[in-house]
Amino acid sequence: MEGRNKVPIGVELVRRGLIDENDVSKAIEYQKEHPGRKLGDIINILGLCDSYSLIKAMGEILDEKAILLEPSDIAINVLDYISLDVAKQCMAVPFDIVNGRVRVCFADTFDKRAIDTVRLLLLNKGLTMERYITFATNIEEVLKFLEGKTSDKIENIRDVTTLIDNIIKNGIDKRASDIHIEPQDDVIRVRYRIDGELITVANIEKEKQNQIIGRLKAISNMHQEKQESQDGRILIYPDYNIRVSSQKNVYGEKFVLRLLKKNTDIQALNELGFKRNIMETRKIFNKRNSITIIAAPTGEGKTTSLYSIIDLLNSPNINITTIEDPVEIRINGLNQIEIGSKNTFSDSLRTVLRQDPDIILVGEIRDRETAEIAMQAGQTGHYVLSTIHTIDSIEVVTRLRKMGVSNYDIASTLAVSVSQRLVRKICKDCARQREFSNNEKNIINSIMNKYGINIDFSDKHTYEPQGCSKCNNTGFYGRTGVFEVLEIKEDMKELIINNASTIEIRKQAIKDGYKPLIVDGINKVLDGEITLDELNRKIIFY
């Protein structure tokens, strides 16, 4: 919260006699360690002024209606008006409604995007908005209170239809990618996977197990009687296509719901963490007569990267066909094929080759047959994009060899292999800035020096995760990709044809300018995007 006039907020508060210059100095020092906090909020946090007098003055300075918002001030069901996720992103809480005008508190009335987002959501419901301002800490306290109520509500709902609906809607609000509903010995555990981590959100009494299983099967279009593994879909939520998988265990049937948002905007590669300029990116991926493979373990964002590459290359004069299991995002201008029980990747790939494609995306190379057809496609004028499960980009060669692909086919067709991992990003709303420790500096230098990179720490700092309502008190919000790129150049082709070992290929790759995942990861640590501990948790190096 800063003043709309040109007079700094601290000066204005001193002029009004609410604080003195020493208080302003304390607030500025605090702000250096908490760059995401506004000065008005900091003065309140430090207790330098009576909260009621301060918020009243802030309202006058900003020419806004102001309130010291507390959970007891909320006279409506907030989630009837905006989702918890939107409330967190916009730092906004609807707290009352009078004559069709919804009173909404904001932490920052200069955030036009947040205000417009909430206003439009309310307009879609036929409502108008009356804007108020409060301290960010008050918004955070209310959001934490609402989160607690949501968790309690899940555990205490008696009607199973409403219970399942709340579990799914709450998962959507919390940005979950997956919902796990797991029968245990004495309860049914509900967990959300958020930013790659599983978080327990509720434990439901065991007596509801059969009803929950029945309801999930009904809305997923599964067979009620079967207790073997089944796959289904939930299509009753307008913005989501929810894939459902069931699996019998010793305590009953476990369900995993994958929340796939429809019409999701495809992110550009640099937004995913691929830090190359557009010319260099196009040079890497705009190929012909070859194959590009993205390698990583399950759940590390391979498909998302493939979509970003396709979006980069897509144009009206190119025929692009994708073969996927399943089609997760529909893209205008593409011919997208979903494989099922009656057709495999290899079957579909044979058919697609007769459809005059320029670029073919094969969701995954799983076997020798698919690998060989993909290689043939790459050798006959097509550009093939696919994924494979392996630990890094150099091991792609070994994996293809083990599938039975010849060294000649690998060397002549494989143009680029990319490996990636997803690492949780620091929540900038609550993280505390600090200097790198001597131990961290030694670890970073020992790694980067291997690749001829010297680090000057004089202008570098890192962050200590704290936890707030926005990040579910984890200290992390969202994920970014850590990448390595292996371009198959002439000397390496020769090595592959001669059946060189992985060690020999790696040595040549480094000569050719290859940098492993850890280098990109440390660069992101130095840029303040991720922490060294989080990187180490994903790529163990100390």
Side-chain angles (χ1 to χ4, degrees):
M1 292 188 287
E2 303 296 346
R4 281 193 167 80
N5 53 36
K6 294 182 180 179
V7 179
I9 196 73
V11 173
E12 183 64 26
L13 292 172
V14 170
R15 188 182 68 77
R16 289 170 178 249
L18 291 172
I19 58 173
D20 57 32
E21 292 181 359
N22 186 47
D23 293 331
V24 175
S25 298
K26 289 178 184 177
I28 290 172
E29 283 301 310
Y30 185 94
Q31 194 174 45
K32 288 177 182 177
E33 294 184 0
H34 303 81
R37 292 287 185 186
K38 303 290 186 183
L39 199 66
D41 290 307
I42 292 169
I43 291 166
N44 184 52
I45 290 168
L46 296 177
L48 301 174
C49 177
D50 171 67
S51 296
Y52 179 78
S53 302
L54 181 59
I55 196 64
K56 183 182 176 183
M58 297 298 298
E60 292 171 0
I61 294 166
L62 297 168
D63 193 24
E64 296 278 3
K65 295 176 181 177
I67 182 175
L68 198 62
L69 186 70
E70 295 179 356
S72 57
D73 294 314
I74 298 173
I76 57 176
N77 183 355
V78 173
L79 301 185
D80 285 344
Y81 297 89
I82 63 174
S83 70
L84 195 57
D85 196 34
V86 170
K88 289 178 183 178
Q89 289 173 2
C90 298
M91 286 297 284
V93 175
F95 66 95
D96 202 358
I97 182 167
V98 178
N99 299 324
R101 290 178 65 81
V102 181
R103 293 175 174 174
V104 183
C105 252
F106 289 88
D108 185 357
T109 51
F110 281 88
D111 191 342
K112 187 175 184 298
R113 183 177 179 183
I115 290 167
D116 288 345
T117 297
V118 177
R119 181 185 286 115
L120 286 171
L121 285 171
L122 294 175
L123 280 174
N124 288 337
K125 297 176 183 290
L127 301 166
T128 56
M129 184 177 78
E130 186 176 343
R131 191 168 75 194
Y132 282 73
I133 192 164
T134 194
F135 297 118
T137 49
N138 290 67
I139 296 278
E140 289 164 1
E141 285 172 11
V142 169
L143 292 175
K144 194 175 291 187
F145 171 77
L146 290 172
E147 280 189 321
K149 279 185 67 177
T150 304
S151 180
D152 290 342
K153 189 162 63 173
I154 287 176
E155 294 184 17
N156 294 321
I157 289 172
R158 315 315 301 175
D159 176 60
V160 170
T161 299
T162 308
L163 173 65
I164 297 299
D165 185 56
N166 273 266
I167 288 171
I168 293 171
K169 285 182 176 176
N170 192 38
I172 290 169
D173 285 340
K174 287 181 176 290
R175 303 180 298 110
S177 60
D178 302 86
I179 299 174
H180 292 239
I181 300 173
E182 306 165 308
Q184 305 289 293
D185 183 27
D186 53 352
V187 294
I188 301 165
R189 181 173 63 182
V190 179
R191 295 193 289 174
Y192 295 155
R193 189 176 292 281
I194 302 171
D195 295 333
E197 299 300 306
L198 278 172
I199 301 169
T200 300
V201 294
N203 288 299
I204 302 165
E205 58 265 35
K206 189 74 170 176
E207 290 73 20
K208 289 184 179 177
Q209 181 166 308
N210 290 337
Q211 291 174 282
I212 288 172
I213 290 171
R215 177 60 182 165
L216 285 169
K217 286 184 176 179
I219 61 176
S220 305
N221 199 28
M222 291 180 176
H223 295 289
Q224 289 284 349
E225 300 79 12
K226 286 177 64 176
Q227 291 191 354
E228 295 89 2
S229 302
Q230 295 188 68
D231 292 314
R233 290 191 180 184
I234 298 174
L235 303 173
I236 60 177
Y237 297 89
D239 297 328
Y240 283 83
N241 178 359
I242 301 175
R243 284 165 42 199
V244 184
S245 171
S246 73
Q247 174 70 57
K248 187 177 179 181
N249 66 23
V250 294
Y251 297 118
E253 289 179 77
K254 174 185 173 177
F255 288 78
V256 176
L257 285 60
R258 168 65 58 89
L259 307 181
L260 299 170
K261 193 167 186 179
K262 297 176 184 174
N263 304 317
T264 301
D265 290 335
I266 297 171
Q267 291 179 279
L269 279 164
N270 66 326
E271 293 174 325
L272 300 178
F274 194 82
K275 303 293 186 183
R276 312 286 179 104
N277 64 51
I278 189 65
M279 295 297 291
E280 189 179 2
T281 301
R282 284 191 173 276
K283 184 180 177 183
I284 291 169
F285 295 113
N286 195 8
K287 306 286 187 183
R288 294 178 184 272
N289 304 320
S290 63
I291 184 168
T292 288
I293 291 177
I294 297 181
T298 301
E300 296 295 342
K302 298 186 296 296
T303 302
T304 301
S305 294
L306 277 183
Y307 280 136
S308 296
I309 296 169
I310 285 291
D311 192 55
L312 175 74
L313 302 177
N314 192 13
S315 68
N317 62 334
I318 294 176
N319 179 14
I320 301 177
T321 300
T322 75
I323 306 167
E324 304 171 65
D325 179 23
V327 173
E328 294 190 4
I329 300 175
R330 298 188 180 188
I331 307 172
N332 287 332
L334 268 60
N335 304 290
Q336 294 178 276
I337 298 165
E338 187 165 271
I339 69 168
S341 57
K342 295 183 179 179
N343 61 321
T344 63
F345 277 117
S346 55
D347 293 334
S348 298
L349 187 50
R350 284 194 187 91
T351 305
V352 164
L353 288 173
R354 298 194 288 270
Q355 293 284 310
D356 188 31
D358 297 298
I359 298 174
I360 306 168
L361 185 155
V362 182
E364 184 185 344
I365 293 176
R366 297 175 177 172
D367 52 45
R368 177 176 180 171
E369 188 176 19
T370 306
E372 288 182 339
I373 299 168
M375 290 289 170
Q376 290 167 17
Q379 292 167 358
T380 54
H382 309 92
Y383 179 37
V384 181
L385 290 157
S386 192
T387 71
I388 208 164
H389 285 100
T390 189
I391 59 171
D392 65 23
S393 55
I394 292 173
E395 287 295 330
V396 168
V397 174
T398 305
R399 185 84 176 92
L400 290 170
R401 283 171 170 171
K402 287 183 177 178
M403 283 184 180
V405 181
S406 73
N407 283 323
Y408 173 80
D409 284 341
I410 296 170
S412 62
T413 315
L414 182 63
V416 177
S417 65
V418 178
S419 186
Q420 65 180 70
R421 298 291 187 277
L422 293 177
V423 182
R424 291 191 298 174
K425 293 193 293 185
I426 297 160
C427 175
K428 291 298 178 69
D429 275 34
C430 61
R432 181 174 60 83
Q433 184 178 311
R434 66 169 175 82
E435 300 300 315
F436 282 97
S437 69
N438 288 332
N439 185 47
E440 288 170 329
K441 290 177 183 178
N442 290 336
I443 290 169
I444 290 170
N445 279 325
S446 67
I447 292 167
M448 299 299 262
N449 289 345
K450 290 179 185 176
Y451 303 97
I453 304 169
N454 296 311
I455 305 300
D456 179 6
F457 286 95
S458 61
D459 62 342
K460 304 293 184 185
H461 55 260
T462 186
Y463 291 89
E464 197 71 42
Q466 300 295 304
C468 64
S469 58
K470 178 181 176 181
C471 63
N472 292 310
N473 294 307
T474 63
F476 301 94
Y477 189 88
R479 291 187 289 176
T480 189
V482 173
F483 295 88
E484 66 176 36
V485 177
L486 176 68
E487 295 188 74
I488 310 298
K489 299 181 179 178
E490 292 304 317
D491 288 340
M492 191 174 296
K493 288 182 180 182
E494 193 70 30
L495 285 173
I496 293 169
I497 288 173
N498 291 324
N499 203 35
S501 68
T502 302
I503 294 171
E504 293 173 292
I505 292 171
R506 192 176 299 276
K507 285 179 180 177
Q508 183 60 49
I510 292 170
K511 286 182 184 177
D512 290 342
Y514 157 86
K515 298 288 190 301
L517 283 166
I518 189 65
V519 171
D520 187 40
I522 287 178
N523 282 328
K524 288 181 170 69
V525 171
L526 296 170
D527 289 340
E529 291 184 56
I530 61 178
T531 67
L532 197 63
D533 284 346
E534 272 298 294
L535 180 63
N536 184 60
R537 200 173 62 83
K538 191 55 69 103
I539 311 168
I540 299 171
F541 52 92
Y542 67 80

